Amino acid sequence: MNIQSILIENTTDELKEAFACCDAGLLAWACEIRIRQGQPLVARNDMGEFFLGQRAAFRPTAAHIAAMLAKLSNHSLYAYDAEIKNGFITIAGGHRVGIAGRVTVEEGRIKTIKHISGLTIRVAREVIGAADAVLSAICGDYVRNTIIVSPPGCGKTTLLRDVVRQLSLRGHNVAVVDERSEIGGCHMGVPQNNLGPRTDVLDAAPKAVGMMLALRALSPQVVAVDEIGSIEDVAAIENMASCGVAVICTVHGKNMTDLRRRPTLTPLFTNSIFERYIFLTDKPKVGSVCGIYNERGVQICHDD
């Protein structure tokens, strides 16, 4: 089901009409759709942001947003309680619905989000073959520990997903620790994205805990995780590497200097954990590779 059909099916009244009036071609290429209380509907694609539909003046109310969230969760929002604590739910098709509103905190931890004022739908879109240009840098005689780096919205997760799929097709057992349900796009535990025939997914598992669980229970040759950054993540990655399990992961950043300035990542450089650093940009299009470096920070060719 395409994203326009999902939006229409899961909304009511004026909001349904507004989505029905949208240009189908624009929505087909949208990577993000924003529904904010009292504001116009907005979509973003590779070309920029656009107001949606002929009813650009339409402003959804809190009631519209609440009704949409209820329908997206099959009127069982309580079933998504664990996800809501992380600020989103994942719906059929692997699309992630980010939630804005009043955050309730208990003992320093997020308990829930209520008085919902906005939804950000990140459209799950597989790009089969996205890893074609970099796979030879990652996988030769063995799978090299690899980190994919870019600012937000430049295609890190899309590239990681296709790396997983291709490594799985090549015969490697891959464990995906999918803390935010973005790699596999799992819905009710079932991956909606094609991750290959030899891939196991630990959906919604915290990265550090999930990596150790995968090591004990799934006997992976490769572990894939998205957006590392904590001390616990780094310690788990070092543990994977010491056990002979290859790690493919992503992290926010612009360049090598940017990464080296982050104290939590220092052990990865000190111990030369990663053999490949792949940097992405959104120019000329999202997912463009702007550099591949080895563990010494030397730029290499793809077939190095």
Side-chain angles (χ1 to χ4, degrees):
M1 184 181 293
N2 63 46
I3 190 63
Q4 187 171 31
S5 298
I6 290 173
L7 292 170
I8 292 171
E9 184 177 293
N10 289 283
T11 51
T12 57
D13 305 326
E14 297 95 343
L15 193 51
K16 182 190 292 286
E17 182 184 343
F19 282 126
C21 292
C22 292
D23 183 287
L26 176 62
L27 277 182
W29 290 103
C31 60
E32 190 175 89
I33 298 161
R34 293 183 179 269
I35 304 149
R36 298 182 176 104
Q37 182 179 336
Q39 300 297 328
L41 304 173
V42 175
R44 182 172 66 85
N45 61 21
D46 289 352
M47 303 299 294
E49 286 191 338
F50 304 87
F51 291 122
L52 286 175
Q54 299 173 5
R55 300 190 61 187
F58 173 74
R59 290 348 191 227
T61 65
H64 288 126
I65 293 171
M68 183 174 186
L69 187 59
K71 294 196 76 171
L72 287 169
S73 62
N74 296 315
H75 299 281
S76 299
L77 201 56
Y78 66 88
Y80 292 88
D81 185 59
E83 286 187 87
I84 290 173
K85 290 177 182 178
N86 291 319
F88 65 90
I89 67 171
T90 303
I91 62 175
H95 310 295
R96 194 179 80 175
V97 183
I99 301 169
R102 182 173 178 80
V103 177
T104 301
V105 178
E106 190 174 274
E107 296 181 353
R109 295 187 177 185
I110 295 175
K111 182 179 180 181
T112 190
I113 301 175
K114 56 184 180 179
H115 304 307
I116 308 301
S117 61
L119 304 175
T120 298
I121 301 174
R122 293 190 64 175
V123 181
R125 184 170 290 111
E126 293 179 284
V127 181
I128 301 298
D132 288 355
V134 302
L135 203 67
S136 62
I138 298 171
C139 184
D141 296 335
Y142 62 98
V143 179
R144 299 178 175 97
N145 292 334
T146 300
I147 188 165
I148 301 165
V149 189
S150 83
C154 290
K156 294 187 300 298
T157 304
T158 300
L159 179 59
L160 177 64
R161 185 183 300 121
D162 199 56
V163 169
V164 168
R165 181 187 67 85
Q166 295 205 40
L167 291 177
S168 180
L169 284 171
R170 290 187 174 206
H172 301 282
N173 289 319
V174 184
V176 173
V177 181
D178 203 1
E179 183 169 9
R180 296 189 299 180
S181 303
E182 284 194 278
I183 306 171
C186 288
H187 178 65
M188 305 304 287
V190 179
Q192 306 291 294
N193 296 319
N194 179 3
L195 298 181
R198 300 177 182 85
T199 300
D200 300 299
V201 181
L202 292 174
D203 185 47
K207 287 184 282 289
V209 174
M211 280 187 270
M212 300 310 298
L213 176 60
L215 181 64
R216 292 193 303 268
L218 301 176
S219 300
Q221 295 165 304
V222 181
V223 166
V225 294
D226 203 13
E227 296 186 8
I228 66 165
S230 71
I231 294 173
E232 293 79 11
D233 294 344
V234 170
I237 288 170
E238 289 186 288
N239 200 358
M240 295 297 105
S242 68
C243 293
V245 177
V247 177
I248 314 291
C249 66
T250 72
V251 69
H252 287 308
K254 296 178 182 178
N255 49 46
M256 196 72 79
T257 301
D258 195 22
L259 294 187
R260 290 183 183 278
R261 286 174 177 162
R262 296 176 61 176
T264 56
L265 302 183
T266 298
L268 300 178
F269 291 101
T270 302
N271 299 318
S272 299
I273 297 297
F274 287 105
E275 300 172 77
R276 292 292 181 266
Y277 294 81
I278 299 175
F279 290 86
L280 303 182
T281 180
D282 58 358
K283 302 291 186 300
K285 63 179 183 179
V286 171
S288 296
V289 178
C290 58
I292 301 178
Y293 298 80
N294 64 17
E295 67 275 14
R296 299 183 301 278
V298 177
Q299 189 162 8
I300 64 171
C301 298
H302 291 188
D303 57 357
D304 182 71

